Amino acid sequence: PGSQTNPYNVAQARAAIDSGVGTQGVYATGIVSAIPTPWSTQYNNITFNIVDEEGDSDFLQAYRCVSTNNADASTIAVGDIVIVYGNLTKYNTTYEFGQGCQLISLEHPQIPDPVLNLSTTELNDFRYMLGEGPSAAKNFTISGSNLTADVIMTAPANFELSILPSSGYFDSDELSPVNGTLNETTVYVRLKAGLEVGEYTGDITIVSCELSKTVTLTGTVTRQPSVLTANPTSLSGFTYEYEQGG
């Protein structure tokens, strides 16, 4: 380990520093986790940390690292995969490549596009009679992947939505992906109570990252059926004599 064809990982590099063996003129690879000092156009170098796995607390710092013909250090970003060459040392408590280390290889991993999936793009025929709202609920499901922001759902005027009906319905709600993934979730929708007789339409807007999707809604509030009443409800006592009726 430590050669260009078989570079140290971060754990191996830190172990070599602790042992004092295999620290000079070596190579190490890792994922860029932080950039304490951005690229300096004055000194043409950059300081960054690398780890073996994203989220690791044990890092190896490339102190004032410079570019090579094969890799432009000024373009380094968090998440990049790199190979660095130089001498390993420890400064106070920091495990590092010393000043003047060289960036040998730089890979910008391709970030997959975010995805939002809806089970339907329209829900129709929400209805109730005047004074009897809200309507019965209808629902759709939503899921997603490679998401880097919350999913914000906003109902149109006269409609409301919920992901947990027992907790109530709202004009808007949001879902939080876990590690970029939004598991399939049911969203409930209904026509608000208290509306006048008429037709109602609108779109739920669903936004996350640069994605924007809609679910079209239509509903109706109808009049109560007419009821005829008579008072009294019966009449009696009509008589006539046979052959004298009229």
Side-chain angles (χ1 to χ4, degrees):
S3 67
Q4 186 169 3
T5 57
N6 185 25
Y8 286 138
N9 60 28
V10 171
Q12 291 170 329
R14 288 169 62 96
I17 293 171
D18 286 336
S19 69
V21 177
T23 61
Q24 303 301 296
V26 296
Y27 297 80
T29 185
I31 302 168
V32 178
S33 61
I35 303 176
T37 306
W39 177 258
S40 169
T41 55
Q42 180 179 1
Y43 299 107
N44 293 322
N45 61 39
I46 186 173
T47 298
F48 57 90
N49 301 342
I50 60 175
V51 294
D52 286 329
E53 300 287 343
E54 291 184 5
D56 283 356
S57 58
D58 290 340
F59 65 87
L60 179 67
Q61 186 168 100
Y63 181 66
R64 295 184 178 177
C65 186
V66 300
S67 301
T68 62
N69 291 335
N70 295 324
D72 181 0
S74 69
T75 66
I76 284 177
V78 171
D80 289 347
I81 300 171
V82 299
I83 297 177
V84 180
Y85 170 79
N87 299 325
L88 295 172
T89 186
K90 190 175 183 180
Y91 180 75
N92 293 329
T93 60
T94 302
Y95 293 78
E96 65 179 31
F97 275 108
Q99 180 174 345
C101 55
Q102 301 173 16
L103 183 65
I104 302 301
S105 173
L106 172 61
E107 178 184 347
H108 302 293
Q110 185 174 3
I111 300 174
D113 292 333
V115 175
L116 271 178
N117 301 306
L118 303 178
S119 60
T120 186
T121 57
E122 61 180 44
L123 293 172
N124 300 312
D125 201 31
F126 295 90
R127 63 176 54 242
Y128 63 84
M129 291 184 182
L130 182 65
E132 295 184 357
S135 71
K138 298 178 184 290
N139 65 74
F140 66 94
T141 60
I142 182 172
S143 62
S145 58
N146 308 318
L147 301 173
T148 58
D150 287 348
V151 178
I152 309 299
M153 303 177 294
T154 304
N158 306 311
F159 291 86
E160 54 194 359
L161 56 81
S162 177
I163 55 176
L164 188 63
S166 61
S167 297
Y169 282 76
F170 308 95
D171 292 334
S172 65
D173 211 336
E174 62 184 59
L175 299 167
S176 298
V178 177
N179 296 324
T181 298
L182 178 65
N183 292 328
E184 185 172 271
T185 302
T186 300
V187 181
Y188 300 87
V189 187
R190 67 187 185 185
L191 188 62
K192 285 184 176 180
L195 301 178
E196 298 297 325
V197 171
E199 304 289 331
Y200 296 91
T201 63
D203 291 339
I204 296 175
T205 58
I206 302 167
V207 178
S208 180
C209 308
E210 68 272 23
L211 297 176
S212 180
K213 296 201 172 189
T214 60
V215 177
T216 299
L217 310 175
T218 63
T220 306
V221 177
T222 59
R223 296 183 185 280
Q224 292 283 358
S226 299
V227 178
L228 296 176
T229 60
N231 187 23
T233 58
S234 65
L235 296 172
S236 62
F238 298 95
T239 63
Y240 69 91
E241 294 182 5
Y242 185 66
E243 295 182 348
Q244 293 182 8

Short mmCIF file of all heavy atoms in Angstrom, two decimals, residues 118-127 135-142 153-162 169 185-191 199-206 214-220:
data_model
loop_
_atom_site.label_atom_id
_atom_site.label_comp_id
_atom_site.label_asym_id
_atom_site.label_seq_id
_atom_site.Cartn_x
_atom_site.Cartn_y
_atom_site.Cartn_z
N LEU A 118 -45.56 10.22 -8.92
CA LEU A 118 -46.93 10.37 -8.45
C LEU A 118 -47.78 9.24 -9.01
O LEU A 118 -47.59 8.84 -10.17
CB LEU A 118 -47.52 11.71 -8.91
CG LEU A 118 -46.78 12.98 -8.51
CD1 LEU A 118 -47.48 14.19 -9.09
CD2 LEU A 118 -46.67 13.10 -7.00
N SER A 119 -48.72 8.75 -8.21
CA SER A 119 -49.58 7.66 -8.68
C SER A 119 -50.62 8.15 -9.67
O SER A 119 -51.17 7.38 -10.45
CB SER A 119 -50.26 6.97 -7.50
OG SER A 119 -51.08 7.89 -6.78
N THR A 120 -50.93 9.44 -9.64
CA THR A 120 -51.89 10.03 -10.58
C THR A 120 -51.60 11.51 -10.70
O THR A 120 -50.96 12.11 -9.82
CB THR A 120 -53.35 9.80 -10.13
OG1 THR A 120 -54.24 10.26 -11.14
CG2 THR A 120 -53.64 10.54 -8.83
N THR A 121 -52.09 12.12 -11.77
CA THR A 121 -51.94 13.56 -11.95
C THR A 121 -53.28 14.29 -11.88
O THR A 121 -53.35 15.49 -12.15
CB THR A 121 -51.25 13.88 -13.28
OG1 THR A 121 -52.02 13.31 -14.35
CG2 THR A 121 -49.84 13.32 -13.31
N GLU A 122 -54.36 13.57 -11.54
CA GLU A 122 -55.64 14.23 -11.37
C GLU A 122 -56.55 13.44 -10.43
O GLU A 122 -56.50 12.21 -10.38
CB GLU A 122 -56.34 14.45 -12.71
CG GLU A 122 -56.66 13.19 -13.48
CD GLU A 122 -57.35 13.49 -14.80
OE1 GLU A 122 -56.92 14.42 -15.50
OE2 GLU A 122 -58.34 12.78 -15.11
N LEU A 123 -57.35 14.17 -9.68
CA LEU A 123 -58.38 13.61 -8.81
C LEU A 123 -59.66 14.41 -9.07
O LEU A 123 -59.66 15.64 -8.93
CB LEU A 123 -57.98 13.71 -7.33
CG LEU A 123 -56.79 12.87 -6.87
CD1 LEU A 123 -56.41 13.24 -5.43
CD2 LEU A 123 -57.09 11.38 -6.97
N ASN A 124 -60.72 13.71 -9.42
CA ASN A 124 -61.94 14.38 -9.85
C ASN A 124 -63.14 14.02 -8.97
O ASN A 124 -63.10 13.07 -8.19
CB ASN A 124 -62.26 14.01 -11.31
CG ASN A 124 -61.15 14.42 -12.25
OD1 ASN A 124 -60.67 15.56 -12.19
ND2 ASN A 124 -60.72 13.51 -13.12
N ASP A 125 -64.21 14.80 -9.15
CA ASP A 125 -65.53 14.52 -8.58
C ASP A 125 -65.57 14.56 -7.05
O ASP A 125 -66.25 13.77 -6.42
CB ASP A 125 -66.04 13.16 -9.09
CG ASP A 125 -67.56 13.05 -8.97
OD1 ASP A 125 -68.23 14.09 -9.09
OD2 ASP A 125 -68.05 11.93 -8.74
N PHE A 126 -64.82 15.51 -6.47
CA PHE A 126 -65.08 15.83 -5.06
C PHE A 126 -66.44 16.53 -5.03
O PHE A 126 -66.69 17.43 -5.83
CB PHE A 126 -64.01 16.77 -4.52
CG PHE A 126 -62.63 16.19 -4.46
CD1 PHE A 126 -61.75 16.32 -5.53
CD2 PHE A 126 -62.19 15.52 -3.33
CE1 PHE A 126 -60.47 15.79 -5.48
CE2 PHE A 126 -60.91 14.99 -3.26
CZ PHE A 126 -60.05 15.12 -4.34
N ARG A 127 -67.32 16.16 -4.10
CA ARG A 127 -68.61 16.82 -4.08
C ARG A 127 -69.30 16.70 -2.72
O ARG A 127 -69.04 15.79 -1.94
CB ARG A 127 -69.53 16.26 -5.17
CG ARG A 127 -69.91 14.80 -5.05
CD ARG A 127 -70.91 14.40 -6.16
NE ARG A 127 -70.47 14.72 -7.49
CZ ARG A 127 -71.10 15.58 -8.31
NH1 ARG A 127 -72.19 16.20 -7.90
NH2 ARG A 127 -70.64 15.81 -9.51
N SER A 135 -66.00 17.50 1.58
CA SER A 135 -66.24 16.30 0.78
C SER A 135 -65.53 15.10 1.38
O SER A 135 -64.68 15.23 2.27
CB SER A 135 -65.74 16.51 -0.64
OG SER A 135 -64.31 16.52 -0.66
N ALA A 136 -65.89 13.94 0.89
CA ALA A 136 -65.10 12.74 1.22
C ALA A 136 -63.69 12.91 0.62
O ALA A 136 -63.51 13.59 -0.39
CB ALA A 136 -65.77 11.50 0.63
N ALA A 137 -62.70 12.31 1.26
CA ALA A 137 -61.32 12.45 0.80
C ALA A 137 -61.01 11.47 -0.32
O ALA A 137 -61.56 10.37 -0.37
CB ALA A 137 -60.36 12.22 1.97
N LYS A 138 -60.14 11.90 -1.20
CA LYS A 138 -59.52 11.01 -2.19
C LYS A 138 -58.02 11.08 -1.95
O LYS A 138 -57.53 11.94 -1.20
CB LYS A 138 -59.87 11.46 -3.61
CG LYS A 138 -61.37 11.41 -3.93
CD LYS A 138 -61.66 11.91 -5.33
CE LYS A 138 -63.15 11.95 -5.63
NZ LYS A 138 -63.72 10.59 -5.73
N ASN A 139 -57.24 10.20 -2.57
CA ASN A 139 -55.81 10.19 -2.28
C ASN A 139 -54.97 9.83 -3.48
O ASN A 139 -55.45 9.27 -4.46
CB ASN A 139 -55.52 9.25 -1.10
CG ASN A 139 -55.81 7.80 -1.41
OD1 ASN A 139 -55.09 7.15 -2.14
ND2 ASN A 139 -56.92 7.30 -0.86
N PHE A 140 -53.71 10.15 -3.37
CA PHE A 140 -52.69 9.72 -4.33
C PHE A 140 -51.42 9.40 -3.54
O PHE A 140 -51.31 9.75 -2.35
CB PHE A 140 -52.42 10.79 -5.39
CG PHE A 140 -51.80 12.06 -4.86
CD1 PHE A 140 -50.42 12.25 -4.88
CD2 PHE A 140 -52.60 13.08 -4.37
CE1 PHE A 140 -49.86 13.43 -4.40
CE2 PHE A 140 -52.05 14.26 -3.88
CZ PHE A 140 -50.68 14.43 -3.91
N THR A 141 -50.48 8.72 -4.16
CA THR A 141 -49.22 8.41 -3.49
C THR A 141 -48.08 9.14 -4.17
O THR A 141 -48.12 9.44 -5.37
CB THR A 141 -48.92 6.90 -3.49
OG1 THR A 141 -48.84 6.41 -4.83
CG2 THR A 141 -50.02 6.14 -2.74
N ILE A 142 -47.06 9.42 -3.37
CA ILE A 142 -45.87 10.12 -3.87
C ILE A 142 -44.64 9.42 -3.33
O ILE A 142 -44.62 8.93 -2.20
CB ILE A 142 -45.90 11.60 -3.44
CG1 ILE A 142 -44.69 12.35 -3.98
CG2 ILE A 142 -45.99 11.75 -1.93
CD1 ILE A 142 -44.76 13.85 -3.76
N MET A 153 -45.76 20.50 -0.61
CA MET A 153 -47.03 20.31 -1.31
C MET A 153 -47.98 21.42 -0.90
O MET A 153 -48.20 21.65 0.30
CB MET A 153 -47.64 18.94 -0.95
CG MET A 153 -46.73 17.76 -1.25
SD MET A 153 -47.47 16.19 -0.73
CE MET A 153 -47.51 16.42 1.06
N THR A 154 -48.56 22.10 -1.88
CA THR A 154 -49.47 23.22 -1.61
C THR A 154 -50.79 22.98 -2.33
O THR A 154 -50.81 22.79 -3.56
CB THR A 154 -48.85 24.54 -2.07
OG1 THR A 154 -47.57 24.72 -1.44
CG2 THR A 154 -49.75 25.71 -1.70
N ALA A 155 -51.87 23.00 -1.57
CA ALA A 155 -53.20 22.78 -2.16
C ALA A 155 -53.70 24.09 -2.78
O ALA A 155 -53.37 25.18 -2.32
CB ALA A 155 -54.18 22.31 -1.10
N PRO A 156 -54.54 23.99 -3.83
CA PRO A 156 -55.15 25.21 -4.39
C PRO A 156 -56.24 25.74 -3.48
O PRO A 156 -56.67 25.06 -2.54
CB PRO A 156 -55.71 24.70 -5.73
CG PRO A 156 -56.04 23.27 -5.46
CD PRO A 156 -54.97 22.78 -4.53
N ALA A 157 -56.71 26.94 -3.77
CA ALA A 157 -57.82 27.51 -3.01
C ALA A 157 -59.01 26.56 -3.05
O ALA A 157 -59.27 25.90 -4.06
CB ALA A 157 -58.20 28.86 -3.61
N ASN A 158 -59.70 26.45 -1.92
CA ASN A 158 -60.93 25.66 -1.77
C ASN A 158 -60.68 24.17 -1.56
O ASN A 158 -61.65 23.41 -1.39
CB ASN A 158 -61.87 25.87 -2.95
CG ASN A 158 -62.18 27.33 -3.19
OD1 ASN A 158 -62.53 28.05 -2.26
ND2 ASN A 158 -62.03 27.79 -4.43
N PHE A 159 -59.42 23.74 -1.59
CA PHE A 159 -59.08 22.35 -1.30
C PHE A 159 -58.08 22.32 -0.14
O PHE A 159 -57.43 23.32 0.17
CB PHE A 159 -58.47 21.66 -2.52
CG PHE A 159 -59.43 21.43 -3.65
CD1 PHE A 159 -59.66 22.43 -4.60
CD2 PHE A 159 -60.12 20.23 -3.77
CE1 PHE A 159 -60.55 22.23 -5.64
CE2 PHE A 159 -61.01 20.02 -4.81
CZ PHE A 159 -61.23 21.03 -5.75
N GLU A 160 -57.94 21.17 0.50
CA GLU A 160 -56.97 21.00 1.58
C GLU A 160 -56.43 19.58 1.53
O GLU A 160 -57.04 18.68 0.95
CB GLU A 160 -57.61 21.30 2.93
CG GLU A 160 -58.87 20.52 3.23
CD GLU A 160 -59.64 21.07 4.42
OE1 GLU A 160 -59.19 22.07 5.03
OE2 GLU A 160 -60.72 20.52 4.74
N LEU A 161 -55.25 19.38 2.12
CA LEU A 161 -54.58 18.09 2.03
C LEU A 161 -54.01 17.67 3.38
O LEU A 161 -53.89 18.47 4.30
CB LEU A 161 -53.49 18.13 0.96
CG LEU A 161 -52.39 19.19 1.06
CD1 LEU A 161 -51.31 18.79 2.03
CD2 LEU A 161 -51.77 19.45 -0.31
N SER A 162 -53.64 16.39 3.45
CA SER A 162 -53.09 15.85 4.70
C SER A 162 -52.31 14.58 4.40
O SER A 162 -52.64 13.83 3.48
CB SER A 162 -54.22 15.53 5.69
OG SER A 162 -53.69 14.95 6.88
N TYR A 169 -56.41 18.52 8.28
CA TYR A 169 -56.10 18.89 6.89
C TYR A 169 -55.58 20.32 6.86
O TYR A 169 -55.98 21.16 7.67
CB TYR A 169 -57.36 18.77 6.02
CG TYR A 169 -57.69 17.35 5.64
CD1 TYR A 169 -58.27 16.48 6.56
CD2 TYR A 169 -57.43 16.87 4.36
CE1 TYR A 169 -58.59 15.17 6.21
CE2 TYR A 169 -57.74 15.57 3.99
CZ TYR A 169 -58.32 14.72 4.93
OH TYR A 169 -58.62 13.43 4.58
N THR A 185 -45.63 7.50 0.04
CA THR A 185 -46.46 8.14 1.07
C THR A 185 -47.81 8.49 0.46
O THR A 185 -47.89 8.98 -0.66
CB THR A 185 -45.78 9.42 1.58
OG1 THR A 185 -44.48 9.10 2.09
CG2 THR A 185 -46.61 10.07 2.68
N THR A 186 -48.88 8.24 1.22
CA THR A 186 -50.22 8.57 0.75
C THR A 186 -50.59 9.98 1.17
O THR A 186 -50.40 10.36 2.33
CB THR A 186 -51.25 7.58 1.32
OG1 THR A 186 -50.91 6.24 0.90
CG2 THR A 186 -52.65 7.90 0.82
N VAL A 187 -51.09 10.74 0.21
CA VAL A 187 -51.54 12.12 0.46
C VAL A 187 -53.06 12.16 0.25
O VAL A 187 -53.56 11.73 -0.79
CB VAL A 187 -50.86 13.11 -0.49
CG1 VAL A 187 -51.32 14.54 -0.19
CG2 VAL A 187 -49.34 13.00 -0.39
N TYR A 188 -53.77 12.66 1.26
CA TYR A 188 -55.22 12.72 1.22
C TYR A 188 -55.67 14.15 0.88
O TYR A 188 -55.08 15.13 1.36
CB TYR A 188 -55.81 12.30 2.56
CG TYR A 188 -55.42 10.88 2.95
CD1 TYR A 188 -54.23 10.63 3.64
CD2 TYR A 188 -56.23 9.80 2.62
CE1 TYR A 188 -53.86 9.34 3.99
CE2 TYR A 188 -55.87 8.50 2.96
CZ TYR A 188 -54.68 8.28 3.64
OH TYR A 188 -54.31 7.00 3.98
N VAL A 189 -56.72 14.24 0.07
CA VAL A 189 -57.18 15.54 -0.41
C VAL A 189 -58.70 15.60 -0.28
O VAL A 189 -59.39 14.59 -0.48
CB VAL A 189 -56.79 15.77 -1.88
CG1 VAL A 189 -57.12 17.19 -2.31
CG2 VAL A 189 -55.32 15.46 -2.11
N ARG A 190 -59.24 16.79 0.01
CA ARG A 190 -60.69 16.94 0.04
C ARG A 190 -61.06 18.39 -0.30
O ARG A 190 -60.23 19.31 -0.22
CB ARG A 190 -61.27 16.56 1.40
CG ARG A 190 -60.90 17.47 2.55
CD ARG A 190 -61.38 16.91 3.88
NE ARG A 190 -61.14 17.85 4.98
CZ ARG A 190 -61.37 17.58 6.26
NH1 ARG A 190 -61.84 16.38 6.60
NH2 ARG A 190 -61.15 18.49 7.19
N LEU A 191 -62.33 18.57 -0.68
CA LEU A 191 -62.91 19.88 -0.94
C LEU A 191 -63.31 20.50 0.39
O LEU A 191 -63.97 19.85 1.21
CB LEU A 191 -64.11 19.73 -1.87
CG LEU A 191 -64.77 20.99 -2.43
CD1 LEU A 191 -63.81 21.78 -3.30
CD2 LEU A 191 -66.02 20.60 -3.24
N GLU A 199 -68.79 25.02 -9.17
CA GLU A 199 -67.72 24.12 -9.60
C GLU A 199 -66.38 24.67 -9.10
O GLU A 199 -66.15 25.89 -9.15
CB GLU A 199 -67.69 24.01 -11.12
CG GLU A 199 -69.00 23.55 -11.75
CD GLU A 199 -69.28 22.08 -11.46
OE1 GLU A 199 -68.31 21.31 -11.30
OE2 GLU A 199 -70.46 21.71 -11.40
N TYR A 200 -65.50 23.78 -8.65
CA TYR A 200 -64.20 24.20 -8.12
C TYR A 200 -63.09 23.39 -8.76
O TYR A 200 -63.21 22.16 -8.88
CB TYR A 200 -64.18 24.04 -6.60
CG TYR A 200 -65.17 24.94 -5.90
CD1 TYR A 200 -66.47 24.50 -5.62
CD2 TYR A 200 -64.83 26.24 -5.56
CE1 TYR A 200 -67.40 25.33 -5.00
CE2 TYR A 200 -65.74 27.08 -4.94
CZ TYR A 200 -67.03 26.61 -4.67
OH TYR A 200 -67.93 27.45 -4.06
N THR A 201 -62.03 24.06 -9.18
CA THR A 201 -60.88 23.39 -9.80
C THR A 201 -59.60 24.03 -9.30
O THR A 201 -59.60 25.17 -8.80
CB THR A 201 -60.93 23.48 -11.33
OG1 THR A 201 -60.83 24.86 -11.73
CG2 THR A 201 -62.20 22.87 -11.89
N GLY A 202 -58.51 23.32 -9.46
CA GLY A 202 -57.19 23.85 -9.10
C GLY A 202 -56.16 22.75 -9.13
O GLY A 202 -56.48 21.57 -9.33
N ASP A 203 -54.89 23.13 -8.92
CA ASP A 203 -53.79 22.17 -8.96
C ASP A 203 -53.04 22.16 -7.63
O ASP A 203 -52.68 23.24 -7.11
CB ASP A 203 -52.78 22.53 -10.06
CG ASP A 203 -53.34 22.34 -11.45
OD1 ASP A 203 -54.32 21.58 -11.60
OD2 ASP A 203 -52.80 22.95 -12.40
N ILE A 204 -52.80 20.97 -7.10
CA ILE A 204 -51.81 20.82 -6.04
C ILE A 204 -50.44 20.99 -6.67
O ILE A 204 -50.14 20.34 -7.68
CB ILE A 204 -51.90 19.45 -5.36
CG1 ILE A 204 -53.24 19.27 -4.64
CG2 ILE A 204 -50.76 19.27 -4.36
CD1 ILE A 204 -53.43 17.89 -4.06
N THR A 205 -49.60 21.85 -6.12
CA THR A 205 -48.23 21.98 -6.61
C THR A 205 -47.30 21.23 -5.67
O THR A 205 -47.42 21.33 -4.45
CB THR A 205 -47.80 23.45 -6.71
OG1 THR A 205 -47.90 24.07 -5.42
CG2 THR A 205 -48.68 24.20 -7.70
N ILE A 206 -46.38 20.48 -6.26
CA ILE A 206 -45.45 19.64 -5.50
C ILE A 206 -44.05 20.00 -5.98
O ILE A 206 -43.72 19.83 -7.16
CB ILE A 206 -45.74 18.15 -5.73
CG1 ILE A 206 -47.19 17.84 -5.31
CG2 ILE A 206 -44.76 17.28 -4.96
CD1 ILE A 206 -47.67 16.50 -5.78
N THR A 214 -47.68 18.61 -10.60
CA THR A 214 -49.02 19.03 -10.19
C THR A 214 -49.99 17.86 -10.20
O THR A 214 -49.80 16.88 -10.94
CB THR A 214 -49.57 20.14 -11.12
OG1 THR A 214 -49.64 19.63 -12.46
CG2 THR A 214 -48.70 21.38 -11.09
N VAL A 215 -51.01 17.99 -9.37
CA VAL A 215 -52.16 17.08 -9.39
C VAL A 215 -53.40 17.96 -9.55
O VAL A 215 -53.68 18.82 -8.70
CB VAL A 215 -52.27 16.24 -8.11
CG1 VAL A 215 -53.52 15.36 -8.14
CG2 VAL A 215 -51.02 15.38 -7.92
N THR A 216 -54.14 17.79 -10.65
CA THR A 216 -55.30 18.60 -10.94
C THR A 216 -56.52 18.08 -10.18
O THR A 216 -56.77 16.87 -10.14
CB THR A 216 -55.59 18.61 -12.45
OG1 THR A 216 -54.46 19.17 -13.13
CG2 THR A 216 -56.82 19.42 -12.78
N LEU A 217 -57.29 19.00 -9.58
CA LEU A 217 -58.45 18.66 -8.76
C LEU A 217 -59.70 19.31 -9.34
O LEU A 217 -59.65 20.45 -9.82
CB LEU A 217 -58.26 19.14 -7.33
CG LEU A 217 -56.95 18.77 -6.62
CD1 LEU A 217 -56.89 19.43 -5.25
CD2 LEU A 217 -56.80 17.26 -6.50
N THR A 218 -60.83 18.61 -9.28
CA THR A 218 -62.12 19.19 -9.64
C THR A 218 -63.15 18.75 -8.62
O THR A 218 -63.13 17.62 -8.13
CB THR A 218 -62.60 18.75 -11.04
OG1 THR A 218 -62.79 17.33 -11.05
CG2 THR A 218 -61.59 19.13 -12.12
N GLY A 219 -64.06 19.67 -8.28
CA GLY A 219 -65.10 19.36 -7.30
C GLY A 219 -66.33 20.20 -7.51
O GLY A 219 -66.33 21.19 -8.24
N THR A 220 -67.41 19.81 -6.84
CA THR A 220 -68.71 20.46 -7.01
C THR A 220 -69.43 20.55 -5.67
O THR A 220 -69.43 19.59 -4.89
CB THR A 220 -69.59 19.66 -7.99
OG1 THR A 220 -68.89 19.47 -9.22
CG2 THR A 220 -70.89 20.40 -8.27
#
